[in-house]
Amino acid sequence: MTQQPDSTLSTRVWDPYVRIFHWLLAASILFAWWSGEQGGNWMSWHMYAGYTVLTLVLFRLFWGFAGTHYARFAEFIRSPGHTVNYGLKAMRREEPHYAGHNPLGGWMVVALLLLSAAQAGTGLFANDEIFTEGPLVHLVSYDLSVEITRWHKLIFDGLLIAIGLHLLGVVWHQRVRGEKLIQGMLHGRKPLPAGTTEAGKTPWVRGLVLAAIAAAAIWSLLNLT
C-alpha cells in the first residue's frame, strides 16, 4: 500500500513479461472465441489458441513466484478480510492506493487464470460429435468427453463474466479514479509517490527459461498416449 500517487513521478511497475503475457492472453482468448464461432477448418486454429492459453497461464504461475516484485502473487493476493475491507472503502471512494494490483484486482487475476486454465484444459478432452476432437479425448470415455464439452461451454460463459468485470474495473480506475492502467500495461510505468518500490531489473534469462519450460510441459501434455 502506498500514498496517493504523484502524477509528476513515474515508477516502473510492470515488467515486460507481465505486459506481454497480459496482451497475448487477451489476444489468444479473443481469437479462440472467434475461431470457435467460425468452426470448420478454423477449429485447428481454435485448438492452437487453447494450447497458447495453457502455456501462458503456466508461465504466469511460474512468474508469480519467480518474477519481479509486482508480478509475484505474494505482493498482490490479500486475505479475504483485507479484500472485503478494501471493497467497502472503494464504495465510499476512500480506498488506499496500491502500486501494483489492488486486493480486488489481485483476486480477479487469480480468477482469470483459473478460468482460462479450466476453459483451455477442458478443451483438450472435448469433441463436437462431428469432426473435431481434443488431443486427449482418447484418455476418457465418449460420454465423459461429451460432458466435458458441456463444461467447456459453460466455463466460457463464466470467463466472459470475469472478463466483463475486469474491464469494468479498468474503466472505473481509468475514467473515474484517473489511474492510467491501460497505459501502464503498455509501457510498464505508473505515476507514484517518490520512494515507491520499483519492479527491479527484469531477469530476462530466467523468464526465457520459464517460458521454455511452460511450452515444453504443455507440449508433453498434448502428446500423452
Side-chain angles (χ1 to χ4, degrees):
M1 183 169 58
T2 71
Q3 306 169 28
Q4 288 300 312
D6 181 344
S7 60
T8 64
L9 300 172
S10 184
T11 302
R12 191 162 64 89
V13 172
W14 304 122
D15 67 67
Y17 284 113
V18 168
R19 286 156 25 222
I20 292 170
F21 159 81
H22 178 274
W23 296 113
L24 278 182
L25 182 65
S28 297
I29 291 173
L30 180 61
F31 182 75
W33 166 78
W34 181 85
S35 55
E37 289 294 308
Q38 304 310 303
N41 293 333
W42 283 104
M43 289 306 294
S44 293
W45 291 99
H46 176 78
M47 291 192 290
Y48 293 146
Y51 307 156
T52 302
V53 168
L54 284 175
T55 302
L56 288 168
V57 169
L58 183 56
F59 168 78
R60 186 62 183 89
L61 291 177
F62 292 157
W63 204 239
F65 295 100
T68 55
H69 179 75
Y70 294 106
R72 299 195 177 211
F73 297 129
E75 197 282 328
F76 63 80
I77 296 181
R78 313 286 175 171
S79 69
H82 188 105
T83 304
V84 170
N85 186 52
Y86 174 87
L88 293 174
K89 289 182 178 179
M91 292 175 65
R92 302 192 299 268
R93 299 186 66 172
E94 299 173 353
E95 73 275 22
H97 184 77
Y98 289 80
H101 294 297
N102 64 51
L104 289 174
W107 282 108
M108 179 55 70
V109 169
V110 173
L112 287 170
L113 288 175
L114 291 176
L115 286 168
S116 296
Q119 172 66 16
T122 52
L124 301 179
F125 302 90
N127 78 85
D128 64 2
E129 300 184 77
I130 304 175
F131 299 113
T132 306
E133 293 182 340
L136 301 185
V137 71
H138 61 281
L139 297 179
V140 298
S141 68
Y142 177 80
D143 289 342
L144 181 55
S145 176
V146 171
E147 180 64 14
I148 292 176
T149 304
R150 187 176 71 85
W151 300 344
H152 185 62
K153 296 175 181 177
L154 289 174
I155 292 170
F156 185 66
D157 292 336
L159 180 58
L160 286 179
I161 292 172
I163 290 172
L165 291 174
H166 171 64
L167 293 177
L168 284 175
V170 170
V171 170
W172 167 263
H173 283 277
Q174 189 86 16
R175 304 290 296 179
V176 179
R177 304 301 285 164
E179 297 180 44
K180 298 180 179 180
L181 299 186
I182 297 174
Q183 293 88 331
M185 196 51 72
L186 288 170
H187 52 59
R189 305 187 73 87
K190 294 175 67 175
L192 296 166
T196 301
T197 301
E198 289 222 358
K201 293 182 179 180
T202 301
W204 288 103
V205 174
R206 184 192 308 165
L208 290 174
V209 169
L210 292 177
I213 292 174
I218 299 305
W219 182 87
S220 298
L221 176 65
L222 297 177
N223 287 278
L224 286 177
T225 58

